Amino acid sequence: MRFTDTIQGLNEVFGTDIPRGSVVLVTGAAGTLKSGFTFQLISGYLEKTNESGLYITLEQSRENHLNNMNSMGIAVSKKLHISDFSDYRVLYGDFPGDPLEILEKNILDFRQETGGSCTCLAIDSLGALYSLLDMEAKDLRKRIYRLLETFRREGLTTFIIFEDDRCSGINDPSTAGEGYLADGIIELGLHLKGNVANRYLRVRKMRAASHSMEPWILTVSENGLKVYKGSF
């Protein structure tokens, strides 16, 4: 089973699959389906394998996420464990000590508890994680990089959701400064042309994979998300 077979049309964007153990940044402005895309990608993959996964939400509750997925026709696999921020608040209060160490320990503990079957991880979102940390930007990015490098070495395919309103649109060639953290960047955006608005998907980079770098239309169908070629 390939990640790129989980969303209709995504296998046309990619010539090869997202490499296992990669760290992938899913970036875009609010309302561009970042959570839905990540949920469907991981859930669809897990349903066809003997593996399990972990989705950590640091902002919305588990119930809100599930309601949102249901509204878009996205099935969430029972093999995907969803852990919201309140889980950590109950266990650790207001994150006494180092939040990154606590996060890393719980992810690695979960992987061990599953006997190593946990191969997929999503963190929603990087911005929320930043808000928990009181340090200079330079030191912050170094710490995040070390955290993600741990996941790489564990062989966890990791998707990091990052809400970024700085991207000016489909014609903007720049990437967020956080791009250096990742092996891959999947940009989700909104393109306006006259009175028509289209959500789009574009793969900015994906190391060790072949893929299109053009924008593709991303839409919600009755059975979840769908990707197809269109004119902008």
Side-chain angles (χ1 to χ4, degrees), residues 17 20 48 54 69 72 86 107 123 140 174 196 216 230:
D17 199 19
R20 293 175 67 91
K48 301 295 184 179
L54 177 63
M69 296 309 108
M72 293 188 286
S86 63
I107 291 168
I123 298 177
L140 176 61
S174 64
V196 178
W216 294 66

Side-chain angles (χ1 to χ4, degrees), residues 77-149:
S77 172
K78 293 181 180 179
K79 301 175 187 176
L80 179 61
H81 177 78
I82 303 169
S83 180
D84 66 36
F85 180 68
S86 63
D87 289 342
Y88 295 95
R89 295 289 295 271
V90 169
L91 290 171
Y92 300 104
D94 284 330
F95 282 94
D98 189 328
L100 289 182
E101 288 184 1
I102 293 170
L103 193 62
E104 178 181 333
K105 181 180 185 302
N106 279 268
I107 291 168
L108 296 181
D109 283 352
F110 179 80
R111 178 165 163 76
Q112 185 175 18
E113 289 169 6
T114 63
S117 72
C118 177
T119 61
C120 307
L121 168 67
I123 298 177
D124 188 356
S125 66
L126 186 59
L129 188 55
Y130 281 168
S131 70
L132 296 172
L133 304 168
D134 183 18
M135 60 181 71
E136 296 293 327
K138 183 179 179 181
D139 295 330
L140 176 61
R141 288 184 175 176
K142 285 181 178 178
R143 290 291 311 282
I144 296 292
Y145 178 82
R146 287 200 296 269
L147 176 70
L148 297 180
E149 185 61 25

